[in-house]
């Protein structure tokens, strides 16, 4: 069974369409939140995501846009965008977001936006951050988004809480198949961001995961960045938000 895992779409419809066109035949789609916020097409992006899957967890921007959480921790441009998004969201989108869970377990995988310890807010940026989170889930892997940076951390068994046992894996195709009886590793995988990558590569990012083999791979897809930027300019979203799309930072 082949699964496409998407996160941090941020109302970027052009980027979302490009990854949908890229993944070909998949058996399921999982979404790790932040469908909206920053970008120009919140309702349209939510419609596409809902047409693809019902396996969706809430992101901090989704709940900020509905007023379910406060934007005090947002920087100024994010707060402006959250307010703009809130004005755009129709009633149905709003109640859909409000009803989302913050954490889901699907088979051998935990799905969450930020971290299993603090689902909406925690950023896992380093092996040290990751080490603190391995005790908060107990299956093969936890799939996260939130930082907009694709990365894989692994923890050696049988001491997943041992800080020295956690390391950052190279960003190459890899597999969770060595987990299990006699297995040695568990994983914390950031799937990257569809609509606002921040790792220096402006292409849309998502993860393909093969449940049978455990093999997973980050994929990058070029999309029409300028069309999203033009939409953002037209609706009056902050300059810094559309400029960053071109550099992926
Ligand atoms: Zn995000």
């Amino acid at each position: 069974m082949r699964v496409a895992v998407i996160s941090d779409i941020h109302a970027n419809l052009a980027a979302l369409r490009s990854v949908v066109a890229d993944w070909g035949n998949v058996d399921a789609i999982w979404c790790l939140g932040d469908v909206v916020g920053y970008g120009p097409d919140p309702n349209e992006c939510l419609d596409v995501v809902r047409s693809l899957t019902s396996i969706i967890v809430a992101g901090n921007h989704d709940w900020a846009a509905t007023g379910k959480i406060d934007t005090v921790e947002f920087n100024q441009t994010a707060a402006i965008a959250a307010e703009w998004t809130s004005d755009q969201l129709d009633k149905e989108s709003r109640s859909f977001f409000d009803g989302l869970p913050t954490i889901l377990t699907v088979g051998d995988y935990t799905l969450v936006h930020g971290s299993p310890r603090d689902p909406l807010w925690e950023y896992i940026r380093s092996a040290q951050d990751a080490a603190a989170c391995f005790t908060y889930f107990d299956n093969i892997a936890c799939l996260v988004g939130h930082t907009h940076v694709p990365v894989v951390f692994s923890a050696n068994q049988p001491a997943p809480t041992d800080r020295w046992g956690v390391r950052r894996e190279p960003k190459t195709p890899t597999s969770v198949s060595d987990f299990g009886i006699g297995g040695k590793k568990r994983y914390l995988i950031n799937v990257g961001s569809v609509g606002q990558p921040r790792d220096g590569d402006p292409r849309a990012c998502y993860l393909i995961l093969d449940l049978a083999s455990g093999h997973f791979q980050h994929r990058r897809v070029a999309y029409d960045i300028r069309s999203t930027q033009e939409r953002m300019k037209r609706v009056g979203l902050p300059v810094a938000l559309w400029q960053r799309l071109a550099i992926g930072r």
Side-chain angles (χ1 to χ4, degrees):
M1 183 164 158
R2 225 166 144 256
V3 183
V5 192
I6 54 177
S7 188
D8 297 277
I9 296 148
H10 285 294
N12 187 339
L13 189 59
L16 178 58
R17 283 182 173 149
S18 75
V19 300
V20 173
D22 181 71
W23 62 49
N25 279 336
V26 291
D27 303 295
I29 291 135
W30 300 345
C31 177
L32 308 183
D34 277 7
V35 175
V36 301
Y38 299 134
D41 295 303
N43 292 305
E44 293 80 358
C45 283
L46 181 58
D47 287 347
V48 171
V49 170
R50 289 183 70 183
S51 74
L52 296 168
T53 184
S54 58
I55 298 176
I56 309 172
V57 293
N60 55 322
H61 283 263
D62 303 323
W63 277 6
T66 70
K68 190 160 177 166
I69 56 172
D70 210 320
T71 57
V72 283
E73 289 194 42
F74 279 32
N75 63 40
Q76 199 190 357
T77 50
I80 291 168
E83 199 175 316
W84 180 86
T85 303
S86 179
D87 289 342
Q88 312 306 311
L89 279 191
D90 57 43
K91 209 175 154 199
E92 201 194 325
S93 298
R94 199 174 283 276
S95 68
F96 179 80
F97 280 132
D98 280 342
L100 287 177
T102 57
I103 192 160
L104 281 174
T105 301
V106 186
D108 295 321
Y109 296 85
T110 295
L111 277 50
V112 71
H113 180 65
S115 86
R117 179 165 67 170
D118 185 355
L120 285 180
W121 291 109
E122 184 172 19
Y123 293 94
I124 302 174
R125 292 194 172 99
S126 64
Q128 199 173 19
D129 296 341
C133 290
F134 273 93
T135 51
Y136 289 84
F137 66 100
D138 56 9
N139 43 22
I140 293 178
C142 180
L143 306 177
V144 304
H146 196 39
T147 64
H148 301 202
V149 175
V151 63
V152 179
F153 298 103
S154 65
N156 291 316
Q157 296 272 39
T161 55
D162 178 0
R163 283 175 184 277
W164 303 108
V166 174
R167 74 180 192 112
R168 187 183 180 127
E169 295 276 341
K171 272 193 273 179
T172 49
T174 183
S175 171
V176 299
S177 59
D178 54 356
F179 177 85
I181 298 166
K184 292 186 177 68
K185 281 184 176 179
R186 298 166 64 223
Y187 291 86
L188 211 153
I189 303 168
N190 191 308
V191 305
S193 169
V194 171
Q196 196 199 79
R198 293 179 190 161
D199 62 335
D201 183 341
R203 294 174 299 169
C205 185
Y206 73 103
L207 191 87
I208 286 285
L209 170 65
D210 188 309
L211 297 186
S213 67
H215 178 270
F216 59 89
Q217 182 182 27
H218 288 103
R219 291 186 59 85
R220 303 306 289 246
V221 191
Y223 73 97
D224 187 353
I225 293 172
R226 198 172 287 178
S227 73
T228 298
Q229 291 179 313
E230 289 302 324
R231 293 263 309 121
M232 291 171 76
K233 280 187 219 177
R234 216 174 305 145
V235 301
L237 283 160
V239 174
L241 290 180
W242 57 260
Q243 282 183 333
R244 72 188 305 177
L245 294 181
I247 53 171
R249 290 282 181 201

